Amino acid sequence: MAWFLLIISIVALIASIIRVTTTSDDSDENNNNSNNSDENDNKPKIKRMLFECVGEMADNDNGKNRQDIIKRITKNYKKEILSSADLFNGYSTAEIKEMYGSVSEFEDVEFDGIYKKVEYKGKPAYIILMKDTDDNYYEVANIAKDDISKFEDIVNNNEVLNTVIYVTGGKTKEGTYNDYGKEIVETTELNYGIDLRISFKNKDEK
């Protein structure tokens, strides 16, 4: 009988030790999760906004047409930086043939770009400049008149982290059908467009 009581006591002691160890591990895990949560809360909240630009058809003050400039820059990127896998969002002709809708040659390709504040008819305006492979920047578009107030609020009251240009239009491929109902890929040439994505955070956030 004494041996039986001794065994019961030992089992109870072991169970008690296991409970204490488990509670300690759970507490440590909760503390770690709490610390990770605090770290995430302290990270700056990065915001992004995309602006559809205007003026891509215009001539610059030096007489250079912006469409020609965009075409030259994208051609240089194709020759020196981009691969075929970067074009048409990585889709092959066979894949585009089976797609619904169209895809442009430089879809989702990020180009370096910056903005420059100027004055137009006594009011603030913003020119968008695109970086070529020679590391120089060339005027290709403007922030739309209706977006200037919003754009100014971002650049004046926040810390701008980066700006990226997306080229729309240009050579575009679309999966469609011919007159005989056969799947084909139709290629068209559209005017180039420029979108500017700006990333920023609150100036007070570290």
Side-chain angles (χ1 to χ4, degrees):
M1 185 70 177
W3 282 103
F4 179 72
L5 293 175
L6 179 61
I7 291 172
I8 292 176
S9 298
I10 292 172
V11 170
L13 178 61
I14 293 173
S16 175
I17 292 173
I18 291 174
R19 282 197 301 271
V20 171
T21 303
T22 303
T23 302
S24 176
D25 290 342
D26 290 343
S27 177
D28 289 342
E29 183 176 348
N30 289 334
N31 287 335
N32 288 335
N33 289 337
S34 177
N35 290 336
N36 290 336
S37 177
D38 291 340
E39 289 177 5
N40 290 332
D41 289 342
N42 291 330
K43 287 183 178 180
K45 295 178 176 61
I46 297 175
K47 300 177 183 179
R48 294 178 177 87
M49 188 165 290
L50 189 71
F51 289 88
E52 187 175 335
C53 298
V54 298
E56 299 95 332
M57 301 292 294
D59 292 336
N60 291 328
D61 292 340
N62 60 5
K64 300 292 185 181
N65 183 264
R66 289 177 173 180
Q67 287 290 301
D68 294 337
I69 294 172
I70 298 170
K71 186 174 184 178
R72 185 195 73 226
I73 293 176
T74 53
K75 183 178 179 180
N76 289 340
Y77 267 76
K78 282 176 62 177
K79 183 179 179 181
E80 302 177 31
I81 298 175
L82 302 176
S83 68
S84 58
D86 298 313
L87 306 178
F88 298 103
N89 214 6
Y91 291 113
S92 66
T93 300
E95 289 172 326
I96 295 174
K97 185 183 294 185
E98 298 176 355
M99 286 174 54
Y100 174 78
S102 61
V103 58
S104 62
E105 187 171 20
F106 301 103
E107 192 154 331
D108 289 341
V109 175
E110 296 183 352
F111 296 88
D112 290 332
I114 58 175
Y115 59 88
K116 177 182 177 183
K117 185 175 182 178
V118 296
E119 189 175 286
Y120 180 72
K121 294 183 178 180
K123 295 182 179 181
Y126 288 87
I127 295 172
I128 305 307
L129 300 97
M130 188 174 178
K131 187 179 181 181
D132 202 344
T133 54
D134 61 3
D135 290 335
N136 290 315
Y137 288 86
Y138 300 88
E139 296 179 18
V140 291
N142 299 81
I143 295 296
K145 181 180 178 181
D146 292 342
D147 289 334
I148 288 179
S149 177
K150 184 190 299 182
F151 191 81
E152 278 215 299
D153 180 62
I154 292 174
V155 300
N156 290 338
N157 300 313
N158 297 274
E159 179 184 345
V160 176
L161 303 175
N162 62 51
T163 48
V164 171
I165 282 177
Y166 294 101
V167 175
T168 62
K171 185 181 290 186
T172 303
K173 292 184 177 182
E174 181 178 10
T176 185
Y177 296 90
N178 63 15
D179 295 338
Y180 304 99
K182 183 180 179 181
E183 288 183 338
I184 61 170
V185 173
E186 190 173 75
T187 302
T188 56
E189 289 279 353
L190 304 175
N191 292 325
Y192 290 106
I194 295 292
D195 291 341
L196 181 78
R197 189 194 73 197
I198 183 168
S199 301
F200 57 96
K201 66 177 183 178
N202 191 294
K203 286 182 178 179
D204 297 330
E205 293 182 350
K206 302 298 183 183

